Amino acid sequence: MDKDLMIDLKDIVIRRDERNILSISAQIPRQGITAVIGPNGSGKTTLLKLLHGAMEADSGIYQPGSADLESALVLHHTPLIKASVRTNMAIVKDSIGKHKITESDIDEALALVGLTHLQNQSALKLSAGERQRLSLARAKCQRPKMILLDEPTANLDPSTTEQVETIIQQMADDGCGVIFTSHHLGQVQELADQVIFLNEGVCLEACRTEDFFVRPQTEQAKKFIARELGWK
């Protein structure tokens, strides 16, 4: 693949309290869907924050490709204000300087996530799934080239999970790169084109999703897959 279409991480190390919490060398496509997986505490959220620019590496080289990586980060618990859904959407107008966000942009984003009918309702009265869809709509309004999602379907029921997965796929189909973390390997198999596998802060595998599940290269990956999918 054209190197301009790849995020290149070379010998990246992030340390906290004299301990490496992330060590990675990998290439991540700027388009399509990449899943970041691994046990709790393996560095998944740290990687998203690095890519977003919310954290800096202590060493190594981060090359985003042909241009700056304009990204939107949706963490597991995105704060909402005590106001209507539409007002919560309008907040991004003040936080984004590069793109002018219009009312029609907000209308389009709300329609994408199926919240148009709730735009005048208090955001704090939304269900967990509706809140997550609102967070995705706010991210969409920022017109990112890459959207970074931390456990986007955690604690959601199967129906709502399917709705969020459909939105993620649609964003990718519209040309926005997606990188998401997940503990649901069935979801990863269904959505992701590529997998980044982290274990104890170290990137052990970065490959096509099919290759990861059919031909994992490390014992840690084999054990993780077997445990999470209940294989004997």
Side-chain angles (χ1 to χ4, degrees), residues 10-123:
K10 295 181 179 179
D11 302 320
I12 291 289
V13 175
I14 296 179
R15 301 183 185 91
R16 289 293 178 272
D17 300 323
E18 300 182 356
R19 179 176 68 90
N20 290 355
I21 60 172
L22 182 66
S23 178
I24 181 171
S25 289
Q27 288 189 320
I28 306 174
R30 288 173 59 113
Q31 296 179 323
I33 302 177
T34 297
V36 182
I37 62 175
N40 288 333
S42 59
K44 300 186 294 294
T45 303
T46 298
L47 176 57
L48 294 189
K49 290 180 177 180
L50 169 75
L51 296 173
H52 186 57
M55 296 183 73
E56 292 186 358
D58 291 284
S59 60
I61 301 172
Y62 170 29
Q63 296 176 316
S66 59
D68 289 341
L69 187 66
E70 298 174 30
S71 61
L73 174 63
V74 179
L75 295 174
H76 182 43
H77 295 291
T78 300
L80 301 174
I81 64 170
K82 188 177 181 179
S84 70
V85 167
R86 190 174 190 90
T87 299
N88 273 267
M89 286 290 298
I91 288 174
V92 296
K93 279 186 172 184
D94 300 323
S95 61
I96 306 302
K98 191 163 185 178
H99 301 296
K100 178 177 173 57
I101 296 175
T102 66
E103 293 299 319
S104 61
D105 289 332
I106 294 176
D107 289 337
E108 181 181 336
L110 287 173
L112 171 69
V113 302
L115 289 180
T116 302
H117 66 297
L118 296 178
Q119 62 181 313
N120 295 319
Q121 177 175 309
S122 170

Side-chain angles (χ1 to χ4, degrees), residues 39 185 197 199 204-205 212 216-232:
L185 296 195
F197 174 63
N199 189 68
L204 296 182
E205 304 202 25
F212 178 79
Q217 299 299 303
T218 62
E219 285 303 314
Q220 293 94 328
K222 292 175 184 177
K223 290 179 181 179
F224 180 75
I225 293 169
R227 181 172 63 250
E228 295 298 317
L229 293 183
W231 294 354
K232 299 294 185 181

